[in-house]
Amino acid sequence: MSTKAPRPSAAPSGTLIFAPADEKNNAPAAQYTMSSLSRDSLSPSPITQFHTWFSLAQQHHSSTDTADVKSNEDDNSRKPISTAAVPPAGLKPVHQPETCTFSTAHLPSGRVSARMVYLKELDANGGFVVYSNWLTSRKASDISSNPWASLTFWWREQERQVRVEGRCERLTNEESQRYFDVRGRDSRIGAWTSQQSEILQPNGQVEDDGRADLERRVTENQQRFEGVDKIPVPEFWGGIRINPVMVEFWQGRPSRLHDRFRYEKVDPEAPAEGEWRIDRLSP
C-alpha cells in the first residue's frame, strides 16, 4: 500500500501557479543529491571558505562559455576573482557565479528591495564589493537611510547557496577608478549616462517610449569624452563594500534536509580575520 500523499489533480481555484517544479506544475520538487557539507570540511574563516567555493564554481566551463568570454575580451569587467581550486569529480561549473541578489531596506518604512548584481571584488580585508550608481538608484536611497545589506548567491549547478550580511561603506574614488578603468569604453560611457532608476519621459513621438532620451544622453557623453582614453569615474558612481558579520553556506540535500553552516563574528567591530563562531543550522 502506497504511503505517498495523494496530489490534487489540478491547481486550487484562483491559483495561477501551483507547486511548480522545473517545466511542470503540480509536481514533486526536484531532490538535491550532488554533495554534502560537514563541519570538518569548513575553513575557520568564511572568507577563505567563500573563496574556495567561488573558485570551484568558476572551473572547467564548457566551450560555449569560453566562446562567450572571448567575445567580451574588450570588456574586462567580468574578470575571474580567482581560479585557485580544482573541482571534485562530478562538480559542475556555474554560469556567471559572480551573479548575486543584493538586498537593501529603507528606514523608517522598512520596505525591502532587491536586484541582481555582479560581485566584482572580494578584497584582502574580506569585503564583498559591488559597483553601481549611488545618487539616484533605489539602493542608494536605501543605504543612505540604513547601511545594512545582504548578498545571496545561488549556484544551481552545484546545488549551493551563500548568504552574506553586513554593513556597507563606499569605496574611495581612487579605489573605484581602478575598477572603472578595466570596464569597456561603452560601459564607462553608460555609467556617465544613466540616471539609474529615474523615469525616462517619452518625447511625444508614437515610436518612442522614453528610450530616445537615454540614447540622446549616450550620444552627448560619447561626444564629451571623444578622444579621451582615461575616462574619470563619475562622483556619483563607484563601489560599495559589504563588510560581513554573518556568512551562511548552504548545500542542498535530499528531502529538503539541507546542510547549513552559519559563520558569525564574535566581535562585529573586529576585522575580517577576527574570530568567527560556526554553527550548524536546522534546515
Side-chain angles (χ1 to χ4, degrees):
M1 184 176 181
S2 174
T3 59
K4 292 183 179 179
R7 300 189 64 84
S9 58
S13 176
T15 302
L16 299 179
I17 299 175
F18 181 73
D22 293 324
E23 75 283 0
K24 301 176 182 178
N25 282 304
N26 192 22
Q31 295 295 315
Y32 297 132
T33 59
M34 186 172 296
S35 189
S36 62
L37 187 62
S38 60
R39 184 184 295 270
D40 60 8
S41 68
L42 296 172
S43 167
S45 164
I47 307 308
T48 304
Q49 183 65 37
F50 181 88
H51 187 226
T52 298
W53 269 25
F54 188 91
S55 298
L56 291 173
Q58 284 189 309
Q59 298 303 301
H60 297 324
H61 281 277
S62 69
S63 57
T64 300
D65 293 322
T66 301
D68 180 64
V69 170
K70 287 182 178 178
S71 71
N72 288 283
E73 283 181 345
D74 62 330
D75 181 353
N76 295 319
S77 60
R78 288 181 47 240
K79 282 186 175 180
I81 292 175
S82 168
T83 54
V86 177
L91 199 60
K92 301 176 182 178
V94 175
H95 179 64
Q96 295 184 346
E98 68 272 29
T99 307
C100 56
T101 301
F102 181 39
S103 300
T104 55
H106 197 279
L107 292 179
S109 69
R111 287 185 61 178
V112 177
S113 63
R115 71 289 295 162
M116 306 302 294
V117 300
Y118 285 145
L119 174 73
K120 286 303 181 183
E121 299 173 32
L122 177 63
D123 64 31
N125 295 320
F128 294 74
V129 179
V130 301
Y131 287 82
S132 187
N133 175 306
W134 301 108
L135 180 63
T136 61
S137 67
R138 170 68 181 273
K139 51 187 159 317
S141 176
D142 288 353
I143 289 173
S144 68
S145 71
N146 173 23
W148 290 93
S150 70
L151 299 171
T152 304
F153 298 83
W154 167 234
W155 296 330
R156 174 184 178 274
E157 295 88 343
Q158 297 184 1
E159 299 175 351
R160 286 175 169 175
Q161 179 181 175
V162 182
R163 296 194 308 114
V164 179
E165 296 177 4
R167 292 176 64 94
C168 297
E169 63 176 359
R170 276 288 303 271
L171 269 61
T172 65
N173 271 17
E174 291 73 20
E175 290 173 310
S176 294
Q177 185 73 54
R178 286 196 294 269
Y179 166 69
F180 197 68
D181 287 344
V182 305
R183 287 169 63 93
R185 182 177 182 84
D186 288 347
S187 294
R188 285 177 281 164
I189 295 293
W192 275 99
T193 297
S194 177
Q195 300 172 357
Q196 194 174 77
S197 300
E198 295 288 280
I199 295 173
L200 291 167
Q201 297 289 355
N203 63 13
Q205 297 181 11
V206 175
E207 299 83 1
D208 180 51
D209 60 5
R211 178 80 187 186
D213 186 22
L214 180 65
E215 293 178 350
R216 174 186 58 78
R217 296 178 194 173
V218 170
T219 300
E220 289 175 353
N221 281 303
Q222 287 172 335
Q223 295 170 349
R224 175 182 181 182
F225 293 110
E226 186 175 359
V228 178
D229 291 330
K230 189 177 178 65
I231 300 174
V233 63
E235 290 286 337
F236 56 82
W237 193 96
I240 278 277
R241 178 184 294 113
I242 298 94
N243 294 307
V245 298
M246 191 288 298
V247 185
E248 179 186 329
F249 295 86
W250 179 102
Q251 178 68 61
R253 297 293 302 274
S255 303
R256 299 299 181 264
L257 300 177
H258 312 303
D259 289 325
R260 297 175 60 193
F261 285 92
R262 179 184 64 197
Y263 291 73
E264 283 192 309
K265 262 188 176 180
V266 174
D267 177 4
E269 303 303 321
E273 62 268 19
E275 185 180 358
W276 293 83
R277 185 179 68 250
I278 305 175
D279 295 303
R280 177 185 274 274
L281 303 182
S282 173

